[in-house]
Amino acid sequence: LVPHRIRGYEVTQNFNKCLDCHSSERAKETGATRAPTSHYLTRDFKKLPNISPRRYFCLQCHVEQYDAPPLVDNTFKPATK
């Protein structure tokens, strides 16, 4: 979950607003969480200098956090050992 507003963030083939803060080059400067190392790897685990194309479109997996009541009750209980 993304803990801040992302409405209007541009993520296109040519530009990714998320990387303005979360890229490895900018995260320390901005104080944002850096995109994990796994996002810089190919399918063959080769390290890339930039975000992997398969991880580039952040909003496919990451969504804005929203404070809303759950749609259904959660009755999950962890398994006992």
Side-chain angles (χ1 to χ4, degrees), residues 63-75:
V63 296
E64 185 174 332
Q65 188 171 338
Y66 189 75
D67 188 20
L71 297 174
V72 295
D73 288 334
N74 181 350
T75 59

Side-chain angles (χ1 to χ4, degrees), residues 18-19 21-25 27 32-40 47 51 55 58 62:
C18 302
L19 297 177
C21 297
H22 296 282
S23 68
S24 58
E25 297 85 21
T33 302
R34 186 181 70 79
T37 303
S38 61
H39 286 43
Y40 289 84
K47 187 159 176 25
I51 294 283
R55 303 285 187 129
C58 310
H62 300 280

Side-chain angles (χ1 to χ4, degrees), residues 6-18 56 59:
I6 57 173
R7 184 178 299 256
Y9 269 38
E10 182 181 354
V11 179
T12 67
Q13 182 178 356
N14 299 315
F15 181 76
N16 183 327
K17 177 68 174 165
C18 302
Y56 181 79
L59 304 179

Side-chain angles (χ1 to χ4, degrees), residues 39-58:
H39 286 43
Y40 289 84
L41 301 176
T42 66
R43 290 180 187 186
D44 300 324
F45 303 103
K46 179 183 173 195
K47 187 159 176 25
L48 300 169
N50 296 308
I51 294 283
S52 171
R54 64 192 186 117
R55 303 285 187 129
Y56 181 79
F57 294 97
C58 310

